[in-house]
Amino acid sequence: MLAANWKMNPTSAGEAAELVKAIADAARGQQQVTVAVFPPFVWLLGVLELLEGTSLQLGAQDCYWEPSGPFTGEVSAAMLAGICQWVIVGHSERRAMGETDEQVARKAGAALAAQLTTIICVGENQEQMDAGRASEVVAAQVTAALAQASADDSGRLVLAYEPIWAIGTGKNAGPEHAYGMMRLLRETASGIIGERAGLHLRVIYGGSVNAANIESYVELPQCDGCLVGGASLKAEEFSAMIRSTAGVYATAGS
Ligand code: PEP
């Protein structure tokens, strides 16, 4: 799968429409790849209308765990479930604003309970990486995030390895490092929700993925796809990424 995390972009409904139309055109006929777009909340309904008749799926970039109530500015997983199939929780850009492991676990629990396919992001920062603590940090994040998950959720569970030092920096993780960490994500999850469920969930990589390097991730045996930020805002580049991912999957399947 490819997840297009638009972050706080584009800044107008017209630009969002243009971008989603271009991505839908590129995804047409590429059945091997599931492509999901994650616009800001305000563009979700407009984008949803444009998805009719396309193969694209829709997701939100965050959610809140309570279904409704006095939580100004929040949008619940239950509300999103009526609009989209996917949600991202625990993105490092939100963790950097103070989101805790416990909050990520509550968000993931609510999203899974609302039947949303839930991408849980984990990843170490540069300092932790340099100190040789990447595995320890990431395993702890996965363990905490899955506190409310069960084996029954595995079909809707996606773990994204997103090293913070690679996000938006142009400094993507080497495929060998990414492979080892994605394996760790799956093993850690298997220890919590069971081995069968661990085989079933999806594990993806994110961090400066672009048209030039995407193949080196999607061809990895542990990798079920990529979470793409900056490059997903460039219609031509993201279209090329969809085509090359489909090409890798078609070759693997033949
Ligand atoms: C992201 O937003 O999750 C991300 C990976 O961003 P980028 O591709 O820009 O590094």
Side-chain angles (χ1 to χ4, degrees), residues 88-101:
I88 295 171
V89 299
H91 193 284
S92 61
E93 288 160 8
R94 300 208 57 83
R95 291 180 190 257
M97 289 188 276
E99 191 162 292
T100 64
D101 276 342

Side-chain angles (χ1 to χ4, degrees), residues 45-46 68 135 140 157 210 227 233:
L45 286 172
S68 63
S135 300
L157 188 56
N210 58 33
L227 178 47
L233 294 167

Side-chain angles (χ1 to χ4, degrees), residues 24-236:
D25 280 347
R28 189 159 296 124
Q30 310 282 14
Q31 292 96 339
Q32 297 93 338
V33 199
T34 299
V35 182
V37 293
F38 294 77
F41 286 129
V42 284
W43 309 142
L44 280 173
L45 286 172
V47 168
L48 176 66
E49 271 182 36
L50 298 169
L51 293 193
E52 180 131 8
T54 77
S55 62
L56 295 189
Q57 300 188 6
L58 187 62
Q61 298 173 16
D62 189 28
C63 67
Y64 196 64
W65 53 85
E66 294 292 348
S68 63
F71 305 102
T72 303
E74 300 290 359
V75 177
S76 73
M79 289 168 175
L80 291 170
I83 296 172
C84 46
Q85 302 101 313
W86 293 77
V87 70
I88 295 171
V89 299
H91 193 284
S92 61
E93 288 160 8
R94 300 208 57 83
R95 291 180 190 257
M97 289 188 276
E99 191 162 292
T100 64
D101 276 342
E102 196 209 329
Q103 289 171 328
V104 174
R106 294 180 84 175
K107 290 180 176 193
L112 290 165
Q115 309 294 311
L116 289 163
T117 302
T118 305
I119 300 181
I120 301 174
C121 301
V122 296
E124 77 284 0
N125 64 26
Q126 184 72 61
E127 201 186 321
Q128 293 159 336
M129 170 78 176
D130 293 344
R133 295 183 51 228
S135 300
E136 169 206 333
V137 166
V138 164
Q141 286 176 337
V142 171
T143 303
L146 295 181
Q148 297 184 19
S150 72
D152 293 343
D153 297 319
S154 61
R156 290 187 307 279
L157 188 56
V158 183
L159 296 177
Y161 172 56
E162 292 219 306
I164 296 169
W165 47 267
I167 296 179
T169 58
K171 211 170 83 178
N172 58 304
E176 224 170 280
H177 173 78
Y179 171 81
M181 295 302 283
M182 287 190 283
R183 235 178 98 166
L184 173 70
L185 260 57
R186 194 181 293 282
E187 281 168 8
T188 307
S190 298
I192 299 164
I193 59 172
E195 209 142 313
R196 264 183 86 146
L199 286 174
H200 200 205
L201 62 84
R202 280 167 281 181
V203 181
I204 63 178
Y205 168 77
S208 294
V209 181
N210 58 33
N213 62 31
I214 191 158
E215 286 191 11
S216 64
Y217 299 107
V218 294
E219 67 192 13
L220 292 172
Q222 283 296 331
C223 182
D224 297 304
C226 288
L227 178 47
V228 184
S232 74
L233 294 167
K234 300 173 190 159
E236 267 184 42

